[in-house]
Amino acid sequence: MVIILVGGQWGDEGKGKVIDYLAEKADVVIRSQGGNNAGHTVITEHGEFKFQLMPSGILYPECVCIIGNGVVVDPKVLLREISQLRERGIEPKNLIISERAHMVMSYHPLLDQLEEEARGDDRLGTTWRGIGPAYADKVRRIGFRIGDLQKEAFMRKKLAFVVDQVKNPILTKLYGKDAYDWSNMLDEYMGYAKQLDPYIKDTFPIIQDALDRKANILLEGAQATMLDLDFGTYPYVTSSNPTAGGALTGSGIPPTKVDLTIGVFKAYTSRVGYGPFPSELLDEVGDQIRERGHEFGTVTGRPRRIGWFDSAVARYSARLNGIGCAALMRLDILDEQPLLKICTGYDFRGKKFDHPVANISHYKHSMPIYEEMPGWGSDIGAAREWSDLPQRCRDYVERIGELIGVPIELVGTGPRRDQFVTRGRELFD
Ligand code: GDP
Ligand code: IMO
Ligand code: MG
């Protein structure tokens, strides 16, 4: 069975926790896009893990964890994650990196930062992890793939060209920075090559074999639909396709093999970085939710922007991704709110829209249309069964399911592994 898991809003919905939950029954977990701009939190009895490149199934030793061809891998960051796991007694023997995955090279984070600074007021608020520049080089066909680490002569020739002919002129002439020395870079990357060698494989036969055996395969989405390069709030997006289609090209799984797409949503909305966000709360309610929810970025530590649940966004995500069922996370963060609002659509200069429009300035100036519901005013952290949740809380969940058009099968009631309300449906056979 193949399940795709996607973020339904602007990221940080709690995907890590849902993946960890599903990974218990998964044979294979595959990351298929993004890079170390992602930060996926998993909390177990052994403490908190924040995965950036490492697939969130890595804590299950029997689960094969693949970093797919669509990911951009910063080898330094991946090696740091591997050694952090080792320090905690976990040997990631079950990790495989596709030789087709591209690398974030040392100049990419620097260029990301320099380009952002040059944009001034129009900056995007990227994570400065070099994600955009690495994907741009992939499309420009001057990118380096993980498999290139195993071909020193090829690396030498290509580094000499890319560094001297493409990167150094930009760094020195445009930004007044020091030039890179490609031979030092070669030494550095050959050092990574030695350490990563055991994990680098051709994932085509591995994934095809898993499909043939009807293994349980979970595609772990990073980022989210509204950050999608094509369907998000362009240009305030990431440089990959976090929607279901991207999961397929980023792993090599055919569309005909997908059984279910699960959408992960937060019970309200958050966004890191710039860009339109119609249901944003710029008042003390937003501050209360941010404080109670410790809404500060996993990767950059930046305060996250907070807003009401936007069902126009969620329904757009559900339809774009073909979401079959949803997880609604962090519901407990709303425990103390006396009044809840749900954005159901937008008003742009008297015209109504039921979905985010492509025209970014229209979307930015769209006014949210809200419906209101009373809060439940009690702690739901101990709820495990649907019937444990207060009636008003169930009403809120049901209303969201109705508005977005998909059943909500999982509800997050706290950060810990066991803090879930499930509604009886087995997601993996
Ligand atoms: P991801 O990027 O989608 O994996 O989400 P992040 O890990 O960046 O952020 C989600 C945060 O919410 C993490 O700190 C999780 O530990 C936490 N979390 C996940 N589910 C729940 C939940 O149901 N309730 C609460 N209070 N925290 C949750
Ligand atoms: P997870 O997987 C939230 C945002 C950045 C910025 C924009 C572009 O943890 O949900 P980039 O560095 O990707 O070029 O930045 O995308 N962003 C995320 N926001 N969660 C993420 O990942 C994100 N990954 C990127 O804040 O606005
Ligand atoms: Mg995150």
Side-chain angles (χ1 to χ4, degrees):
M1 182 171 186
V2 177
I3 294 183
I4 302 181
L5 182 138
V6 291
Q9 296 153 317
W10 274 282
D12 303 324
E13 295 90 350
K15 297 179 291 295
K17 183 172 154 174
V18 182
I19 293 150
D20 172 64
Y21 169 81
L22 293 168
E24 195 181 0
K25 286 203 179 160
D27 303 300
V28 183
V29 173
I30 311 174
R31 267 285 302 269
S32 45
Q33 43 70 228
N36 62 309
N37 47 350
H40 296 176
T41 315
V42 174
I43 302 177
T44 73
E45 56 284 11
H46 303 294
E48 184 175 74
F49 297 83
K50 288 184 184 291
F51 299 122
Q52 292 195 258
L53 281 162
M54 197 62 83
S56 302
I58 200 76
L59 301 176
Y60 294 96
E62 304 305 322
C63 178
V64 175
C65 285
I66 299 178
I67 297 181
N69 55 281
V71 178
V72 287
V73 179
D74 187 330
K76 269 194 289 296
V77 175
L78 182 60
L79 286 165
R80 192 172 67 216
E81 277 192 67
I82 293 173
S83 66
Q84 283 168 349
L85 278 175
R86 284 195 183 127
E87 281 161 23
R88 296 175 73 170
I90 297 156
E91 184 57 43
K93 287 195 290 282
N94 44 339
L95 175 69
I96 295 173
I97 314 166
S98 164
E99 55 188 0
R100 291 183 172 84
H102 275 247
M103 281 193 281
V104 171
M105 305 298 285
S106 354
Y107 40 75
H108 288 139
L110 176 61
L111 286 166
D112 196 353
Q113 183 177 347
L114 292 170
E115 279 174 26
E116 275 282 271
E117 283 165 359
R119 284 173 193 267
D121 286 347
D122 291 329
R123 65 194 183 279
L124 309 175
T126 75
T127 59
W128 288 1
R129 297 303 186 264
I131 307 300
Y135 276 116
D137 281 1
K138 174 179 176 177
V139 175
R140 251 181 112 182
R141 293 162 297 183
I142 53 166
F144 289 86
R145 306 204 292 181
I146 283 283
D148 296 343
L149 290 174
Q150 296 171 322
K151 301 182 287 184
E152 186 170 347
F154 176 86
M155 275 288 280
R156 171 177 292 111
K157 189 159 175 247
K158 190 159 170 185
L159 264 177
F161 166 70
V162 174
V163 171
D164 284 348
Q165 305 294 317
V166 187
K167 301 298 169 187
N168 279 342
I170 296 171
L171 284 165
T172 57
K173 295 196 184 118
L174 195 61
Y175 294 115
K177 297 284 166 191
D178 291 340
Y180 273 83
D181 178 333
W182 63 262
S183 66
N184 286 347
M185 276 188 76
L186 182 68
D187 293 344
E188 181 189 340
Y189 280 77
M190 286 303 113
Y192 303 145
K194 272 203 200 72
Q195 298 174 72
L196 290 177
D197 192 63
Y199 305 107
I200 303 174
K201 298 205 170 111
D202 180 1
T203 51
F204 170 75
I206 299 169
I207 292 175
Q208 289 299 317
D209 176 59
L211 288 168
D212 289 345
R213 325 186 244 115
K214 308 246 175 295
N216 280 342
I217 302 176
L218 176 62
L219 293 166
E220 165 173 2
Q223 288 81 49
T225 305
M226 295 304 289
L227 291 171
D228 185 271
L229 187 55
D230 290 79
F231 288 101
T233 46
Y234 190 89
Y236 300 96
V237 292
T238 193
S239 294
S240 68
N241 288 113
T243 39
L248 303 180
T249 39
S251 59
I253 292 195
T256 45
K257 301 285 182 187
V258 178
D259 296 285
L260 175 67
T261 300
I262 299 179
V264 184
F265 299 90
K266 214 174 245 205
Y268 47 97
T269 311
S270 70
R271 171 164 206 174
V272 205
Y274 302 100
F277 180 0
S279 70
E280 184 167 15
L281 281 162
L282 296 166
D283 57 6
E284 64 282 7
V285 178
D287 294 340
Q288 281 163 15
I289 296 176
R290 183 179 305 102
E291 288 307 316
R292 182 171 159 88
H294 310 290
E295 287 284 9
F296 297 89
T298 312
V299 175
T300 56
R302 289 178 288 177
R304 293 178 182 144
R305 297 158 66 192
I306 304 295
W308 291 120
F309 189 86
D310 185 336
S311 71
V313 159
R315 189 171 142 80
Y316 175 74
S317 284
R319 299 176 88 189
L320 263 178
N321 292 295
I323 290 173
C325 72
L328 189 68
M329 308 304 289
R330 299 179 65 91
L331 192 61
D332 53 295
I333 302 301
L334 300 178
D335 280 351
E336 290 169 2
Q337 288 304 323
L339 178 80
L340 302 170
K341 293 190 187 183
I342 302 175
C343 168
T344 56
Y346 315 105
D347 183 314
F348 176 69
R349 296 187 188 146
K351 224 174 144 192
K352 307 272 188 289
F353 292 103
D354 67 356
H355 67 276
V357 289
N359 185 320
I360 200 75
S361 65
H362 289 193
Y363 193 47
K364 184 176 171 195
H365 295 108
S366 291
M367 300 306 293
I369 300 167
Y370 286 121
E371 63 178 48
E372 296 182 357
M373 294 188 80
W376 47 91
S378 61
D379 183 346
I380 59 165
R384 297 294 174 273
E385 309 274 333
W386 180 242
S387 58
D388 296 338
L389 293 173
Q391 184 60 48
R392 284 179 171 178
C393 182
R394 281 185 272 165
D395 290 345
Y396 181 68
V397 177
E398 292 290 49
R399 182 66 186 138
I400 285 178
E402 205 172 273
L403 284 166
I404 68 180
V406 294
I408 292 172
E409 294 293 341
L410 297 170
V411 175
T413 56
R416 289 198 323 266
R417 219 178 208 176
D418 64 320
Q419 287 181 301
F420 255 128
V421 166
T422 52
R423 299 183 70 183
R425 173 168 168 190
E426 283 298 332
L427 298 171
F428 266 131
D429 293 337

